[in-house]
Amino acid sequence: MKPGVVTQDLETSAIECSTTNPDVKSDDLKIQCPSHTTEAALIRKVDSRVIPILMVLFLMAFLDRVNIGNALTLGLPKDLKLKGNEPNVAITIFFVPYIVLAIPANLLMKRIKPHVWIPTLVFLFGFVTIMQGFVQNYSGLLAARLFLGLAETGMFPGCFYLMSMWYKRQEAQVRFTLFFNSGSLAAAFGGLLAGAIAKMDGIRGYSGWRWIFILEGALTCSVSVVGYFLVSDFPEDVKWLKEDERKFLRESLRMEQGDPNSKKRLNSKDFMLVFKDSKYFLSALMYFSAVTPAYGFVYFTPTILKSYGYGPVSTQLRTVPPSAVSFFTALLMAWASDRAQHRFLFVFFSLCIGIAGVCILLQIHNNLHAEYAAIFLAAIGNCAALPIIICWYTMNLCGHLERSIGIALMIGFGNIGAIVAGFTFIASDAPLYHKGYSLLLGCYCLSALCAVLYLLTVWNTNHRQKVASTHVGTGQDEPSEKEDLGKGPLFM
């Protein structure tokens, strides 16, 4: 692409909504908001149709993903005769399909339609969770966890892909955080639910941990049916928008996303463009190193608390407050990030909170109040940083092709960190877990370093784009390598 093309694309794609003068006519530079609504009202309508159902479905997905952490403290290892690191292997095998199949799953969702694809996956992993309640040995547990990961592969990256196509960069962070931290609600809800279900131990001959899988899986299957009717498709496909509303949204998003109706198919050239840009790998590494401590605490907070001497039910209940507090703190950080239209400082500050929590856990071993407070800090750092990292990266991508591939690459590669996290807290290191906390501390620091490098890369990209925009008309326009991509300065 020659230098002049950047500015031309920016000029022809620039969108401005006029809600004050209904007589203003649309042209190449301005599109009028429909007279029967306002832009704010339209965004609220989109919010009500897109976000709540995805939050509920992800809450169920996350509940089914991490309830094995509750089961491990309620007799699962003893009943299945697990030895050594076998519980850790059972946790981490879930992520193998996630890593391998995330990109194909996102590409498939564009063809099948989100309202079919996402609820189908939810039903499948709910069914697998039920079956997990009937496993009789280690091999059966491994198989169930592997199929659970296979069913969930397209859920998480698919939801982010779908949401990213509905919002502009300055609108996205609060929505991303609401969705992502429904996982925190799942952790809190899961702790309460596990505490209650644990009292069913022995009913119909089933242990309490089996009832956790059976009942939570059945709930997931039930919710998935509702999803078929409530999950939205992409903006260009939905029926619940009026034609003028759809046109306005499409044109409003065109500058960042390009043509949503582009018929261009993915080819090897498009795919390789992802691997030629350092921003993709920096973002994936930043996410990987933040995911590792996040999953380390999600899976093993019950185990850590149990090592403090609490009983089974008390342990489950004590997992609830850190998750609840981190949810609301993350929302506050997301709101501030959107207001400031800035991401880096909020990522960096959140990671520093997590670092403070892990440092306390590494150094203090005789003060339960301080150690419990440190778990709060770690939970806040995880829940605030991760959705901002995802949003920062995702909304700097453009168009269906780049977002479907880029989001899946980030989440697929990042979930290698979840495999690492599965081995951070092993039984032989209890109760101090020096190796685990040291590893998580290193991961937090690596993520902070990647955030700095990504910031510099984004600044350099914006600078080059600004320089290129001063050379309008210096050469012939050439077709973009990514025909359906939009343009615009990247968020910092």
Side-chain angles (χ1 to χ4, degrees), residues 109-238:
M109 187 178 83
K110 178 70 170 97
R111 295 191 179 186
I112 294 179
K113 303 298 183 187
H115 84 274
V116 174
W117 177 247
I118 292 175
T120 298
L121 295 179
V122 174
F123 178 83
L124 289 175
F125 62 67
F127 177 76
V128 174
T129 300
I130 295 173
M131 295 299 101
Q132 198 173 217
F134 296 98
V135 298
Q136 299 298 319
N137 51 45
Y138 177 55
S139 299
L141 181 62
L142 288 183
R145 293 290 297 175
L146 183 65
F147 279 108
L148 186 64
L150 184 64
E152 272 201 45
T153 295
M155 168 68 184
F156 190 58
C159 288
F160 276 117
Y161 172 27
L162 175 61
M163 289 188 297
S164 75
M165 303 307 294
W166 276 100
Y167 297 103
K168 291 181 283 188
R169 288 170 184 152
Q170 65 269 27
E171 299 166 344
Q173 186 59 69
V174 170
R175 280 89 178 177
F176 273 44
T177 299
L178 267 173
F179 169 77
F180 183 90
N181 280 302
S182 57
S184 297
L185 293 181
F189 179 55
L192 290 172
L193 201 56
I197 296 175
K199 298 176 182 179
M200 296 178 63
D201 186 53
I203 293 179
R204 294 187 175 273
Y206 293 133
S207 301
W209 66 266
R210 293 187 184 276
W211 282 115
I212 288 177
F213 292 137
I214 294 169
L215 295 181
E216 292 181 2
L219 179 60
T220 300
C221 289
S222 302
V223 172
S224 71
V225 177
V226 179
Y228 281 105
F229 302 98
L230 296 184
V231 171
S232 178
D233 288 326
F234 294 107
E236 60 270 22
D237 298 323
V238 296

Side-chain angles (χ1 to χ4, degrees), residues 202-491:
I203 293 179
R204 294 187 175 273
Y206 293 133
S207 301
W209 66 266
R210 293 187 184 276
W211 282 115
I212 288 177
F213 292 137
I214 294 169
L215 295 181
E216 292 181 2
L219 179 60
T220 300
C221 289
S222 302
V223 172
S224 71
V225 177
V226 179
Y228 281 105
F229 302 98
L230 296 184
V231 171
S232 178
D233 288 326
F234 294 107
E236 60 270 22
D237 298 323
V238 296
K239 306 299 183 185
W240 48 266
L241 284 176
K242 297 178 180 179
E243 183 57 36
D244 56 352
E245 294 174 336
R246 186 183 298 108
K247 180 181 178 182
F248 169 70
L249 280 175
R250 183 173 63 243
E251 295 305 318
S252 295
L253 296 167
R254 187 186 295 274
M255 181 175 176
E256 295 179 7
Q257 300 181 5
D259 182 9
N261 296 313
S262 172
K263 301 300 182 184
K264 184 179 180 185
R265 295 296 183 89
L266 176 71
N267 55 47
S268 58
K269 188 176 181 180
D270 294 313
F271 197 79
M272 290 309 297
L273 284 171
V274 173
F275 296 95
K276 292 180 180 179
D277 193 334
S278 61
K279 291 194 296 294
Y280 292 96
F281 288 100
L282 280 174
S283 302
L285 186 58
M286 176 168 49
Y287 182 69
F288 158 83
S289 47
V291 156
T292 303
Y295 273 111
F297 282 105
V298 164
Y299 279 121
F300 294 107
T301 292
T303 301
I304 294 169
L305 291 172
K306 187 178 180 180
S307 72
Y308 297 161
Y310 299 116
V313 174
S314 180
T315 294
Q316 308 306 323
L317 295 178
R318 287 177 184 274
T319 64
V320 176
S323 300
V325 170
S326 64
F327 174 80
F328 291 106
T329 306
L331 282 182
L332 179 61
M333 296 279 279
W335 174 83
S337 179
D338 268 348
R339 291 278 292 181
Q341 295 191 26
H342 181 80
R343 304 289 183 243
F344 166 73
L345 289 177
F346 294 93
V347 170
F348 197 83
F349 179 68
S350 299
L351 292 172
C352 288
I353 293 175
I355 289 172
V358 173
C359 287
I360 293 172
L361 290 168
L362 262 173
Q363 297 297 321
I364 297 178
H365 305 293
N366 55 1
N367 187 328
L368 290 184
H369 295 297
E371 292 174 82
Y372 192 44
I375 291 175
F376 275 81
L377 293 178
I380 290 170
N382 296 330
C383 292
L386 278 171
I388 301 178
I389 290 171
I390 294 172
C391 185
W392 187 17
Y393 166 74
T394 297
M395 302 309 289
N396 279 342
L397 303 175
C398 300
H400 275 291
L401 285 181
E402 192 173 356
R403 287 188 178 175
S404 62
I405 298 170
I407 294 169
L409 173 67
M410 179 193 213
I411 292 175
F413 178 82
N415 276 322
I416 297 174
I419 294 179
V420 176
F423 294 92
T424 50
F425 298 95
I426 56 179
S428 59
D429 289 337
L432 301 182
Y433 297 115
H434 275 299
K435 293 179 181 177
Y437 291 135
S438 298
L439 175 63
L440 300 190
L441 178 60
C443 287
Y444 275 127
C445 294
L446 176 60
S447 187
L449 174 62
C450 290
V452 173
L453 295 176
Y454 181 71
L455 173 72
L456 295 175
T457 305
V458 168
W459 178 88
N460 183 56
T461 300
N462 287 342
H463 177 71
R464 286 190 288 108
Q465 188 180 82
K466 184 177 180 180
V467 170
S469 69
T470 64
H471 297 87
V472 181
T474 59
Q476 296 294 319
D477 291 350
E478 296 177 357
S480 170
E481 288 179 301
K482 304 175 187 176
E483 295 174 5
D484 70 334
L485 302 189
K487 303 294 173 185
L490 305 182
F491 250 39

